[in-house]
Amino acid sequence: MSTAILTGPPVAGSPLEADLRTLGFDVRTANDAATAAELLAAVPAQERVAVVDPRFVGHLHALRLALTDPRFPAAAVPGALTAQPGARAALARAFGRIPVGAGTAHLTDVLTDTLTESLDREETPLHRVELGSLVATVALTPAQREDAREAVAAVDDEAVRLRTAVKSRDGFFTTYGISPYSRYLARWCARRGLTPNQVTTASLLTALIAAGCAATGTRGGYIAAGLLLLFSFVLDCTDGQLARYSLQYSTMGAWLDATFDRAKEYAYYAGLALGAARGGDDVWALALGAMVLMTCRHVVDFSFNEANHDASANTSPTAALSGKLDSVGWTVWVRRMIVLPIGERWAMIAVLTALTTPRIVFYALLIGCALAACYTTAGRVLRSLTRRARRTDRAARALADLADSGPLAELIAGRARGRGRPGSFLAPVMAFLSAAVLLVWVIFQDDPTSWLTVGVAVCSALLAGAAVARPLKGALDWLVPPFFRAGEYVTILVLAARADVPGALPAAYGLVAAVAYHHYDTVYRIRGGTGAPPRWLVRATGGHEGRIILITVLAAALPPSGFTIALTALAVVLALLVLIESIRFWVSSQAPAVHDEGEPA
């Protein structure tokens, strides 16, 4: 239960109390600031409290945005503010600072505004809701009340709520092909009490059924798979729109939404590979290549964003050019489509699945994603080279966590610490060489399953340790994690392919999926503000360099059939280890609720 305190006698004929009860508040009335403070102290500490001026006039959705959004410790609109348990102490202090005596009546006459200004001076962040076309005001006279009511009547509250349920920045296909309809599905779900997490789970189950249909290897199965994949994407859009429509944000929901997206896509790749195998076409290498490429693309995105999350300046001419292009409408959509976002990508996969073969699907996917990766990475490199910015310790820590360095790399980094100049190109060069030396060897060597390969892997680990020996604050240091990911994933792919025995590539697919989950989990923990996974987990998984050495040792020591069994066992062990810890963390996490924003009202 939440409690709303009306700071004065209710206004006759006002629907305010009914609106507050609709939003789940127990309404109490206080005739003055002292009584309101006493009521606040009497509310249990674990409850949300709202302070509302009884002369408030505005849309119900304006109140909903100000008083029920779980993402912000404190939030306000004119005439109403709220404090979650974490901001209750700050609100109590704001009450305590209200002066009494002659000449202070103006401070208590509009008490909510006085409290809001006081909360602004607190360390607890206060969120001021952007109302857009919505109305929220305190009507001090009958004439002002009448004007405010007319303004409320002029704007359709529900239309605004539906529009703002849609993300403000999305792909062309999602914006024009899905969101115009999925927002109504989101409202339908909200009115029946469904939660975003339930819709997210339904999307996952639909995609898994689609993967099962693709695994049949029949034309009917492929057609059904394509249709179900599209419907899964509709549900994928609906869950976020439902969260924004009903303000049901949660850390768990954001994690499920992001994690299930990867699970759906990679499960579908596996389904296509199984279906192709039924028809006598082995495309497991293509499926694994597609997963590796997609994961590396995402690591580039995550690393670049984290490196520049709180940079103190942005003077890049490339960024300025991008801003100018955004002023030309059609270029915005072209550039969004070039990067092949999830909507365009899933639509392409679905249509090609229904009309062609899995091999053609993977060829199109690899070509399209490779071009998109080149476009985005080149642009980010140019931005980084031309940008004069001071990177922070927080950004350097995030990049170090994304690097996923194990005990061996840490040991090497400790011995190399102090060498090299911070902010130089040494780190990305060392990371590139770490991946390049290993990949050139395993790709072009006649027999990469030898003990010489183990020696090369050790050399790669030495270079990896040197790459992370200094804080990653250089202009291109965000490239370090992607280089490490490419080196590890492609090494697994090549060694499994060169084993040339049935089951090796599917086993490698499972292993890369388990490791990729660990890397995605690291990203979402950092994004949620809770930091990277515990060091014991990173050490237990060996770090990227430890896993590479272990896999090269297994390839050299075991026959191809034994290598396949070892890859399978390693995939199972790693999957259980990272999944159990990840689920434990997210179920018990106290991280603040997060989710993508919709459009401004």
Side-chain angles (χ1 to χ4, degrees):
M1 175 65 72
S2 301
T3 300
I5 301 172
L6 292 178
T7 58
V11 177
S14 171
L16 180 59
E17 286 195 45
D19 286 347
L20 290 171
R21 291 193 172 92
T22 297
L23 298 178
F25 285 90
D26 176 28
V27 181
R28 303 180 187 180
T29 300
N31 291 324
D32 52 46
T35 307
E38 292 175 2
L39 287 176
L40 172 67
V43 176
Q46 70 275 14
E47 287 189 12
R48 174 193 290 266
V49 173
V51 180
V52 185
D53 193 303
R55 296 163 297 183
F56 174 89
V57 179
H59 287 99
L60 174 62
H61 193 50
L63 277 178
R64 182 183 290 109
L65 290 169
L67 305 185
T68 67
D69 196 326
R71 295 171 299 172
F72 309 108
V77 293
L81 73 149
T82 186
Q84 293 199 61
R88 286 278 301 276
L91 180 59
R93 289 193 295 271
F95 267 108
R97 285 194 291 267
I98 296 176
V100 296
T104 62
H106 67 286
L107 297 176
T108 56
D109 186 46
V110 187
L111 181 61
T112 53
D113 289 351
T114 302
L115 292 172
T116 298
E117 292 174 4
S118 183
L119 282 174
D120 261 337
R121 296 191 290 271
E122 291 278 346
E123 291 183 2
T124 301
L126 174 70
H127 173 66
R128 291 182 180 268
V129 177
E130 294 184 15
L131 292 171
S133 58
L134 295 175
V135 175
T137 187
V138 176
L140 302 178
T141 66
Q144 289 178 351
R145 176 169 293 276
E146 186 61 29
D147 290 342
R149 285 175 173 171
E150 291 178 0
V152 169
V155 176
D156 186 341
D157 178 275
E158 181 61 18
V160 171
R161 191 180 178 191
L162 272 174
R163 187 176 74 251
T164 54
V166 178
K167 286 173 64 174
S168 58
R169 182 180 177 87
D170 225 326
F172 182 87
F173 176 73
T174 305
T175 300
Y176 293 106
I178 303 295
S179 291
Y181 316 103
S182 59
R183 69 183 73 182
Y184 295 101
L185 179 57
R187 182 172 66 181
W188 183 90
C189 292
R191 291 177 175 176
R192 282 152 184 81
L194 297 176
T195 67
N197 290 354
Q198 290 171 333
V199 178
T200 301
T201 303
S203 176
L204 173 66
L205 293 175
T206 303
L208 293 179
I209 295 171
C213 291
T216 63
T218 64
R219 179 53 51 195
Y222 289 146
I223 293 173
L227 293 173
L228 287 170
L229 187 65
L230 286 176
F231 183 60
S232 174
F233 183 65
V234 171
L235 293 176
D236 184 57
C237 295
T238 301
D239 63 2
Q241 290 165 358
L242 174 59
R244 288 182 286 272
Y245 180 85
S246 56
L247 299 182
Q248 297 183 72
Y249 301 104
S250 69
T251 303
M252 171 70 76
W255 171 68
L256 288 177
D257 185 45
T259 304
F260 283 5
D261 277 352
R262 306 286 75 77
K264 287 180 287 189
E265 189 163 3
Y266 298 159
Y268 192 81
Y269 294 172
L272 285 174
L274 289 170
R278 286 179 176 272
D281 189 12
D282 186 354
V283 296
W284 274 107
L286 296 177
L288 181 51
M291 181 166 67
V292 168
L293 181 55
M294 283 305 308
T295 306
C296 289
R297 271 192 65 190
H298 290 143
V299 174
V300 168
D301 295 340
F302 300 146
S303 296
F304 179 80
N305 291 334
E306 287 302 323
N308 297 283
H309 178 76
D310 49 7
S312 57
N314 184 1
T315 56
S316 167
T318 310
L321 175 61
S322 179
K324 291 180 180 179
L325 289 175
D326 283 343
S327 64
V328 183
W330 65 270
T331 66
V332 175
W333 293 118
V334 169
R335 289 190 296 140
R336 289 187 192 177
M337 292 173 70
I338 287 175
V339 301
L340 206 63
I342 187 170
E344 278 75 358
R345 191 168 68 250
W346 282 28
M348 179 186 74
I349 294 171
V351 171
L352 291 178
T353 298
L355 300 179
T356 63
T357 65
R359 181 172 290 273
I360 293 176
V361 173
F362 285 123
Y363 281 154
L365 187 62
L366 287 166
I367 293 170
C369 289
L371 292 174
C374 291
Y375 169 77
T376 55
T377 305
R380 286 166 178 168
V381 168
L382 287 174
R383 287 190 183 205
S384 300
L385 291 175
T386 57
R387 179 178 189 169
R388 293 189 298 274
R390 186 182 299 278
R391 272 76 179 184
T392 64
D393 291 336
R394 176 202 171 280
R397 180 68 262 168
L399 290 180
D401 291 332
L402 290 174
D404 192 31
S405 300
L408 180 57
E410 285 183 336
L411 177 63
I412 298 165
R415 293 183 176 276
R417 210 172 302 281
R419 301 177 185 176
R421 183 169 55 86
S424 68
F425 296 126
L426 180 64
V429 169
M430 290 294 102
F432 171 77
L433 290 175
S434 173
V437 166
L438 182 63
L439 293 182
V440 169
W441 177 269
V442 298
I443 291 172
F444 296 104
Q445 186 68 14
D446 291 337
D447 181 19
T449 58
S450 67
W451 290 105
L452 284 176
T453 304
V454 177
V456 175
V458 171
C459 292
S460 174
L462 293 173
L463 292 168
V468 295
R470 299 299 296 261
L472 299 176
K473 294 184 177 182
L476 295 180
D477 284 1
W478 56 270
L479 287 170
V480 170
F483 284 145
F484 288 164
R485 293 298 81 75
E488 180 181 2
Y489 297 161
V490 178
T491 296
I492 296 172
L493 189 162
V494 173
L495 290 178
R498 298 291 290 273
D500 198 24
V501 293
L505 280 168
Y509 192 93
L511 176 57
V512 172
V515 176
Y517 177 86
H518 168 57
H519 292 143
Y520 281 116
D521 185 51
T522 301
V523 168
Y524 300 131
R525 293 196 196 207
I526 293 172
R527 280 186 167 183
T530 57
R535 287 304 303 169
W536 71 260
L537 179 65
V538 178
R539 294 189 179 102
T541 59
H544 70 93
E545 80 290 348
R547 289 188 297 269
I548 289 174
I549 292 174
L550 174 60
I551 290 165
T552 56
V553 168
L554 293 174
L558 299 173
S561 58
F563 180 58
T564 299
I565 296 172
L567 285 181
T568 304
L570 185 58
V572 172
V573 170
L574 284 176
L576 289 175
L577 187 63
V578 298
L579 277 172
I580 290 172
E581 161 56 22
S582 177
I583 293 171
R584 180 210 62 78
F585 169 79
W586 288 104
V587 169
S588 62
S589 174
Q590 298 301 312
V594 293
H595 214 291
D596 291 330
E597 283 285 5
E599 291 185 357

